[in-house]
Amino acid sequence: MLPTRRIPTLVSRPRRSFSKPFQRHNSSVAEPPPAGGHLPSIANSKLLRTTRERSLRTQGLSWNDEQAESTTVRETRKMNVYQAVRDALSIALTKDDNAVVFGEDIAFGGVFRCTMGLAEEFGRERVFNTPLTEQGIAGFAIGMALMGHTPIAEIQFADYIFPAFDQLVNEAAKIRYRSGGQYNVGGLTIRTPTMSVGHGGLYHSQSPEGFFMGASGLKVVIPRSPIQVKGLLLSAIRDPNPVIFMEPKILYRSAIEQVPIDDYTLPLGRAETLVEGSDLTLLTWGTPVYHCETALHMLNDPPPALAPHIPESLRKAKIELIDLRSILPWDAAAITESVNCTGRLVIVHEAGMTAGVGAEIAAEVQKRCFLRLSAPVKRITGWDTPVALQYEKFYIPDAVRIVDGLVETLAY
Amino acid sequence: MFRRPFASRGIRRSIHLGTLPNSHSPIVSSLSFFKSVTPDGGIIPTFRVLDGVGRPVEGAQIPEIDEPFARRLYENMQLLPTLDTVLYQVQRQGKTSFHMTSHGEEATIIGSAAALELDDEVLGQYREMGVLLWRGFSVDSVMNQCFGNQEDTSGKGRQMPVHFGSPKHHFHTISSPLATQIPHAAGVGYALRRSDRRSRNIAACFFGEGAASEGDFHAGLLLASTIPSPTLFIARNNGFAISTPSTEQYYGDGIASRGPGYGIDTVRVDGNDVLAVIAAVREARKRTLEQGRAVLVEAMSYRVGHHSTSDDSFAYRQRTEVEDRKRIDNPIARFRLYMESQGWWNATEEEELKARLKADVMKALKRAESLPRCELGELFTDVYAGEEPWNIKEQRAELTGLLKKYGDSWEPWRTELGRFKNKGQDLTSV
């Protein structure tokens, strides 16, 4: 044992005390609270940027046009997630003649409406239905990308990406390496709807991002909101690597923001801190971002039913909420920096625990932050069973499970 | 064995033009391409027995059926849409999460079921509820699966509605991923042939023309033809894979044209003519068993309903197109007219049947919606057989701890627990 080796690097931010409460109040004095309490849902989430001003201040936003850097002339429009996907695809098709969009049922708009009107606008030669073959779709897209084109392919559900696994893991991920850098499929983007909706059962609820973690050469991205979708999807399309872009399907209609109408990108490989805090790092991606937001409210201002389980002393804890966004490669620097500051890490994902993405992050964080950790890294995940239809509410980690994990980790 | 005639012909020609080392392909000196599998280079014909108004077509041989059999066929052809209509509405009312109807494909599904032996192993896609009905899977069992209640014998409420399964009825549990059952069927057929007790049975595999685009289709037909195994493949070509019309699904002559590519006996049949389906599938089954090798049937039909309750097909096809098809080529009406012409059916019986089926379905519906789900602990069972791994044990204990803590006090959880048999106490009271 060499104790000197275990001294952590200096943290860049000071630890903050428990004294500043998490500033958000939803309870109304005038009327009795509803059974579940006044808690945020996706529809009224404060994380969603519903004004032009907040939209244009999106962290890391980079305009991709000739106009001045100033944001004062920029316009925004109200969009949900499927409209933001469509907007990004439309920009990609407009600006890049080599871009094509294809997949099962996409010509009439797609089963989630993400490609509405694109076939009419850009023609069936650039926006087209494919026969029902995921391995074919991925392989075809790889072929186009090998020729320097920009295929943007859709796999109808992430649950159905497995026939394409060979093409993605053995081909897309490895082509640059095996050809000594002479060939690549950087133009390739695979979009696919992911995660649960509450009634999908085994094959419409899965979160298969973890299966791609070992496929170096691929990038995996999961956005949380319309602004993020548009910026990250345009980055994914233009990134010089093949990217699997997983869209949380429950957010297609429910998450609404003011989205800048111009062409912009958001950085891949970078996590985003949504709420700053100094006592615990809460890390997640996709749909559970909103369950985490609810859990923060429960911790700070618990509804009467939960109050007995949430010690007064922990209610002012400052939780740092981070959206990982890029799953592969993931932003180890940002997570390390945060955990070195807070000393506690809770990871939330919908996929099962064993070999989920949380396992990789937990292993790396305990190596990098070992002496700074005040509690074991906690994973709040789906169970190691398939996603069972009638049991789904007790399978998917919800806000109560998250707040319980926060209390356990804070009190450790 | 049955390739010998071709082989000898090939050898005879090669006397002049040489031979290939690994093929009996006759050598020719003229360059000629082909893209048809029919001798005349045309489209594969469709076998039909009854015309659109239930009259035998000229030269057709009516398959042997007696009146009781015909009545049973018709009752099942009516039960299927009766269930579908109710289950569709029930989903629309939010009582179940999903449904897929068989509207327009009643003759294909019931006719195939009737031509198989009751203990032939069936591997379906998801639109084959009619096979189970034919085999005596009760209306209650259908409802219980669709409601995912404690009497869902198909899968303990774990799968979406219409994902039936019943070993007793030799019907393998439905999986949502498309075409995965096709290679399974090849293996099932091989296993049947290897078991003395089951060697008179075949595997019968259903799939749509869309699923036939998946790699698993090619794998399944390749294996069942090459290994070989007694597997009957029944392609339901209903014209649509969700929104994608069959014209965008394949460029060749449907699914049937692929059969000869695997060297297997193949037939295309009018899927809206229940007697033609019975005749074709009976003969196909016979050949499958005799040859011990794959046989392919392509049943041509039209998906009158939407793909599922998650789909509105009028976003991609004309309402009038669907209405026209329903009116002009209704498989149920076609068979009813034939029954009437035989003196086996009349308007009074029609009314009585419809009323009885509706009453049966409504009774099963009322019962199914009143039953709770299985015990919550079933979330963790059946992942493994034998010793349960530590992670499953620990995760069950973790949920149990959470339920003890919040199950009573947190209203959303209390309400949800109330939907399970014993309200979660199978976990919390241990």
Side-chain angles (χ1 to χ4, degrees), chain A residues 105 134 384 391 398 404, chain B residues 156 214 243 395 405-406 413:
Chain A
D105 299 299
E134 293 79 15
D384 288 335
Y391 310 77
D398 67 358
D404 187 82
Chain B
K156 303 184 182 176
E214 293 279 6
S243 77
Q395 290 177 14
K405 221 164 154 184
Y406 303 106
W413 280 25

Side-chain angles (χ1 to χ4, degrees), chain B residues 259-277:
Chain B
Y262 297 105
I264 60 175
D265 287 358
T266 301
V267 70
R268 174 176 287 161
V269 61
D270 179 352
N272 282 4
D273 175 355
V274 71
L275 295 185
V277 172

Side-chain angles (χ1 to χ4, degrees), chain A residues 35-37 39 103-108 111 113 124 128-135 156 159-160 163 199-204 298 303 305-306 309-310 352-354 378-395 398 400-401 403-405 407, chain B residues 97 147-149 155-161 163 174-178 210-211 213-216 241-245 248-250 310-312 315-316 373-380 383 390-392 395-396 398-399 402-403 405-406 409-413 416-417 419-420:
Chain A
L39 293 164
E104 295 157 14
D105 299 299
I106 66 113
F108 90 106
V111 297
R113 302 289 185 266
R124 292 289 283 256
F128 51 91
N129 284 340
T130 64
L132 231 161
T133 167
E134 293 79 15
Q135 67 186 94
Q156 200 163 72
D159 306 70
Y160 304 145
H199 51 81
L202 275 74
Y203 303 110
H204 294 82
M298 289 175 166
L306 298 181
H309 303 292
I310 300 179
M353 181 192 74
T354 298
K378 169 94 179 165
R379 285 179 283 163
I380 303 172
T381 68
W383 312 117
D384 288 335
T385 70
V387 187
L389 182 84
Q390 295 288 51
Y391 310 77
E392 217 164 310
K393 286 202 171 61
F394 290 114
Y395 177 94
D398 67 358
V400 174
R401 275 180 64 191
V403 78
D404 187 82
V407 167
Chain B
S97 55
F147 276 84
N149 65 31
K156 303 184 182 176
R158 290 175 183 145
Q159 289 221 83
M160 287 171 76
H163 288 57
I174 300 300
S175 170
S176 316
L178 283 173
S213 295
E214 293 279 6
D216 275 347
I242 307 188
S243 77
T244 306
E248 293 177 37
Q249 195 64 245
Y250 48 73
S310 305
D311 175 43
D312 171 13
Y316 50 80
R373 299 172 185 169
C374 291
E375 290 189 323
L376 179 54
E378 296 285 9
L379 171 53
F380 295 100
V383 182
W390 63 269
N391 56 323
I392 306 288
Q395 290 177 14
R396 180 192 289 107
E398 187 181 337
L399 178 60
L402 288 162
L403 292 175
K405 221 164 154 184
Y406 303 106
S409 54
W410 183 240
E411 197 273 332
W413 280 25
E416 186 69 6
L417 282 172
R419 300 187 170 115
F420 292 88

Side-chain angles (χ1 to χ4, degrees), chain A residues 96-114:
Chain A
D96 178 357
D97 280 342
N98 283 330
V100 290
V101 170
F102 55 90
E104 295 157 14
D105 299 299
I106 66 113
F108 90 106
V111 297
F112 289 105
R113 302 289 185 266
C114 295

Side-chain angles (χ1 to χ4, degrees), chain B residues 229-251:
Chain B
S229 84
T231 307
L232 172 55
F233 296 99
I234 302 172
R236 296 183 291 96
N237 191 335
N238 67 12
F240 290 93
I242 307 188
S243 77
T244 306
S246 56
T247 49
E248 293 177 37
Q249 195 64 245
Y250 48 73
Y251 179 65

